[in-house]
Amino acid sequence: MLRFSRFLVLVLTVALGAAFVPAASAAAAKKPKPNVVAIAAKPAAATQLPTARFTWKVTPKKTPAQCVLDKGKWKACTTKIAYAKLKDGPHTFQVRVRRSGRTGPWVTRKYTWRVDRVAPTGAAVSYAGGPSAATAVAATFSGGDDGKLGSGVASVRLEQSSGSFTGACGAYGSFGTVATASPATVALADGACTQLRVVATDTAGNVATSAPGPVISIERSDLVLAGSPATATEGGAAGAPTIALSSAPAAAVTVTSTLGGSGATLATTSRTFTAANWSTPQSFPIVATDDAVDEASPVVQGVTFVASSSDANWNGEAAAGSVSVVDNDVAGITVIPPAAQVLSEANPLTVQTFSVVLTSEPTGPVTITLGAAQVVATPSSLNFTAATWSTPQVVSVRGLADDVDEANPHTGTVTFVVASSDGAYAGRVVVPVVASITDDDTAGLTVAITSGTATEGGADAGITVRLDSQPTRSVTLNLTTSVPARLVAAPTSVTFTTANWNVSQPVALQAVDDLVQQAPSVNAVVTATGAAAGEPHYHLLATTRNVSLVDDDAAAAGVEIVPSGATATFSMAGPWPLHEDQSVAQTFDVRLTAPPTSGDHVNIDVIPLEDIAFQFQASGSGRLQFHDGNWDDWQTVTITALQDMVAEAGVHPGSIGFDASQSGDPTYASVTISTVYDFDITDMP
């Protein structure tokens, strides 16, 4: 028995172990991801600041981390740390987390930077100083840094000072960069005093500036040009550049000037300088040529100055300047406005005039083509040349006689299109001339009666219609009558276009031949109404005419009942469908066939025979009421099924009848309405 128990335990253990092997394999396949750390914020690689701030991210969040600075001790930290009072030199920050869980190998991230608050050393420059007539000087320069603590030189630049020389060097101006690579050649301006220096900057931003080198004073034999660029205006002030010598000559020096271009001339072409007046500036006036042509402005023309002398130092010396020639002409087209008068469509002899003239001489013919709206302009084009540009040309304008009803007065315009080979005039915009015009057209409808009587079962009445003025778009006239149930127009609408607006179109007025006895002869009003969106003069414009309407029915008291709500699936004779849920209803139109004989009311009651409800459109009294004023007007009754709580056959019958016995009028009280109207009622589910 004991052996069997041990065997059973062994079997169960093996079985259970085998059963859990897949689960263990699945758990092994889903190992947790390793922990990760990444540095996010850190100082610059080289900085002057003795402080540093670090932040980092760990994944998963809240994974414990340790940090250390330089050769310090590791200690626990969160996600940020700051250090202060750091010494100059390199520093290393490290942060680490366990690769998985809280044991196992470390995952470490580190960052090294340098604190540098020491300026670079060894900034130096070498060049030849002293008086010089050279145009440039060669210079070598360099800059170094402390290799132990420094962050390294990032840039070295050579700077030059500005200054003036008038026999002795005075104060020096500000320094500006002239080179960034050694050796360098630095340009020297005549009459200047200058010095060079070196500026070195390390990667942390520390700057070292060398002492300025020796002074260089530059003096050469030059023509000193002033007042250039000069400005000369047509019809205005002349330009006046001046020339002086930079030093006293050994012999007389004659300076000759030459002007390029054709828009100006030199009033004086030469000046002479001696040892007595060499430093006194002498003027070379430049006068702009005053013409009538609109030219590009300003136009820059070159002016040169050349010296001739037996003094070899001055012979052939030259200077160059410029003058801006400003034009005083403006291309334009002037329209002398017309006198204040009104044109008339009805009187073409009423004319107004205006004149057109150019404001500058064109370089080619100018053609102005006239366009006209609501007016007639004569001539249709104007031509101007270099010989006729300043002579005004006259244009005559009269009103255009049309057939359109317009505002009174309305405006007419003359427009201008300019063409020319002269770019100053080609395509130039000219403001249109506007004229005031008295209109002689009035929108209206002319309706003429061709036959004034329409008889039931007999002859039609007739009219013709047309428009009184030309529309701006097609106009449709809708024709209606005051008694549409008794008199209809054929056709019910006619259309007029801009081409046939004044051609009369016939319309027949036909009496409806019914069985209802009505007034034997009445006046019917025929209305013609315009429909033309966008044509304000004719849209909704209406007029009326009266015609006679003759009835041919004998007096007979009766009730006319028409089922107006019959559906397409049921005949007009019924039965008609109804639903107890009232989703389907039926309507009947009722009127009398003759007026009451006594002047009293006629009451028509609806008699529901089974499962029927009803309501009246024209009366809330529970019955239809007619009298002398409305006896031939249709009144509507709506029939619905009663909502009962009785389960009946899916479709069961219902019916109604009509009764006039409760009428105050004795004739209609004796009228029997024998027709019964049947319905198929669908029971509620």
Side-chain angles (χ1 to χ4, degrees):
M1 184 68 178
L2 179 61
R3 290 180 181 177
F4 176 76
S5 300
R6 290 177 179 173
F7 176 74
L8 180 59
V9 171
L10 177 61
V11 170
L12 290 173
T13 302
V14 171
L16 290 172
F20 281 96
V21 166
S25 299
K30 296 183 179 179
K31 288 183 178 180
K33 293 183 179 180
N35 299 331
V36 179
V37 61
I39 296 174
K42 55 194 176 184
T47 178
Q48 299 176 14
L49 298 176
T51 59
R53 179 179 179 274
F54 290 88
T55 64
W56 57 90
K57 295 181 180 179
V58 293
T59 305
K61 293 182 176 180
K62 297 185 179 180
T63 300
Q66 293 183 352
C67 356
V68 65
L69 177 65
D70 297 333
K71 296 181 180 180
K73 293 183 179 181
W74 290 92
K75 63 178 181 180
C77 49
T78 57
T79 58
K80 61 182 178 179
I81 196 169
Y83 298 99
K85 297 182 180 180
L86 299 175
K87 296 181 179 180
D88 281 22
H91 297 277
T92 300
F93 169 78
Q94 299 182 76
V95 60
R96 67 184 183 182
V97 297
R98 295 288 187 182
R99 181 174 298 277
S100 62
R102 299 180 181 274
T103 62
W106 292 98
V107 177
T108 304
R109 298 291 181 265
K110 68 178 181 178
Y111 178 73
T112 299
W113 79 105
R114 180 179 292 273
V115 177
D116 182 4
R117 290 172 289 180
V118 179
T121 60
V125 62
S126 175
Y127 62 91
S132 175
T135 59
V137 64
T140 59
F141 56 96
S142 62
D145 198 9
D146 183 354
K148 182 178 180 181
L149 298 178
S151 56
V153 174
S155 66
V156 180
R157 66 181 185 271
L158 181 65
E159 294 186 340
Q160 181 184 16
S161 69
S162 60
S164 61
F165 176 68
T166 56
C169 285
Y172 306 111
S174 59
F175 281 84
T177 301
V178 292
T180 57
S182 179
T185 299
V186 181
L188 300 176
D190 190 19
C193 287
T194 188
Q195 288 178 295
L196 303 180
R197 72 180 184 185
V198 173
V199 178
T201 305
D202 64 20
T203 55
N206 299 300
V207 178
T209 303
S210 72
V215 175
I216 306 173
S217 58
I218 305 98
E219 181 180 4
R220 296 190 292 271
S221 297
D222 286 326
L223 299 181
V224 180
L225 173 62
S228 177
T231 300
T233 303
E234 287 187 16
T242 63
I243 289 290
L245 306 188
S246 62
S247 61
V253 177
T254 299
V255 177
T256 302
S257 178
T258 303
L259 184 64
S262 59
T265 57
L266 281 161
T268 299
T269 58
S270 66
R271 296 286 191 182
T272 300
F273 297 88
T274 66
N277 70 347
W278 63 272
S279 61
T280 302
Q282 298 191 50
S283 176
F284 288 79
I286 301 174
V287 180
T289 303
D290 191 10
D291 55 23
V293 180
D294 182 4
E295 301 156 305
S297 180
V299 173
V300 178
Q301 296 180 218
V303 57
T304 58
F305 304 89
V306 179
S308 60
S309 176
S310 59
D311 184 342
N313 290 327
W314 288 100
N315 192 47
E317 286 292 323
S322 64
V323 60
S324 294
V325 180
V326 179
D327 190 43
N328 66 344
D329 302 294
V330 179
I333 299 173
T334 298
V335 178
I336 302 172
Q341 60 176 325
V342 176
L343 300 179
S344 172
E345 285 190 7
N347 185 5
L349 298 179
T350 303
V351 176
Q352 68 179 19
T353 62
F354 61 87
S355 299
V356 180
V357 67
L358 306 189
T359 61
S360 69
E361 178 185 336
T363 59
V366 177
T367 299
I368 303 177
T369 302
L370 278 61
Q374 299 289 340
V375 296
V376 177
T378 307
S380 60
S381 66
L382 307 173
N383 295 287
F384 295 92
T385 66
T388 64
W389 66 272
S390 60
T391 302
Q393 298 188 35
V394 178
V395 178
S396 298
V397 182
R398 60 180 176 83
L400 177 64
D402 55 24
D403 296 309
V404 180
D405 183 2
E406 298 157 298
N408 195 15
H410 59 277
T411 58
T413 57
V414 179
T415 57
F416 307 88
V417 177
V418 184
S420 177
S421 60
D422 185 341
Y425 279 99
R428 180 166 288 274
V429 176
V430 182
V431 177
V433 169
V434 179
S436 181
I437 306 169
T438 300
D439 193 50
D440 64 348
D441 303 291
T442 302
L445 305 177
T446 294
V447 179
I449 298 177
T450 57
S451 174
T453 302
T455 303
E456 288 189 17
D460 296 337
I463 61 173
T464 60
V465 293
R466 68 174 180 85
L467 307 186
D468 292 343
S469 67
Q470 183 180 11
T472 57
R473 61 189 63 197
S474 294
V475 175
T476 296
L477 293 185
N478 295 313
L479 298 154
T480 59
T481 71
S482 59
V483 284
R486 299 187 61 188
L487 184 68
V488 296
T492 58
S493 66
V494 292
T495 298
F496 294 94
T497 67
T498 57
N500 72 343
W501 63 272
N502 57 351
V503 177
S504 296
Q505 298 191 44
V507 177
L509 300 173
Q510 301 170 341
V512 178
D513 191 12
D514 54 23
L515 300 177
V516 179
Q517 190 271 330
Q518 296 159 309
S521 179
V522 298
N523 284 329
V525 180
V526 181
T527 303
T529 304
E535 171 46 87
H537 293 97
Y538 280 102
H539 188 55
L540 302 183
L541 180 66
T543 189
T544 61
R545 291 293 185 273
N546 293 332
V547 297
S548 297
L549 176 62
V550 178
D551 188 52
D552 66 345
D553 299 298
V559 180
E560 186 176 3
I561 301 172
V562 177
S564 58
T567 63
T569 57
F570 289 80
S571 69
M572 291 296 290
W576 293 276
L578 296 175
H579 281 219
E580 280 194 5
D581 63 4
Q582 298 189 351
S583 62
V584 176
Q586 302 296 338
T587 58
F588 290 81
D589 293 334
V590 182
R591 70 176 180 179
L592 306 185
T593 61
T597 58
S598 66
D600 206 344
H601 283 80
V602 175
N603 298 322
I604 306 298
D605 295 311
V606 180
I607 310 300
L609 302 180
E610 183 178 1
D611 286 352
I612 297 296
F614 58 88
Q615 60 183 11
F616 298 97
Q617 177 179 329
S619 171
S621 64
R623 59 178 39 161
L624 302 174
Q625 292 186 336
F626 297 92
H627 50 76
D628 287 340
N630 73 341
W631 64 273
D632 58 348
D633 292 338
W634 291 104
Q635 297 191 41
T636 301
V637 61
T638 300
I639 308 300
T640 57
L642 284 175
Q643 295 181 351
D644 57 24
M645 303 304 295
V646 179
E648 300 162 289
V651 177
H652 58 279
S655 59
I656 64 169
F658 291 86
D659 178 67
S661 64
Q662 301 302 311
S663 299
D665 182 90
T667 302
Y668 274 97
S670 62
V671 171
T672 300
I673 306 172
S674 59
T675 303
V676 175
Y677 299 89
D678 298 323
F679 302 90
D680 286 337
I681 303 173
T682 300
D683 197 38
M684 292 184 67

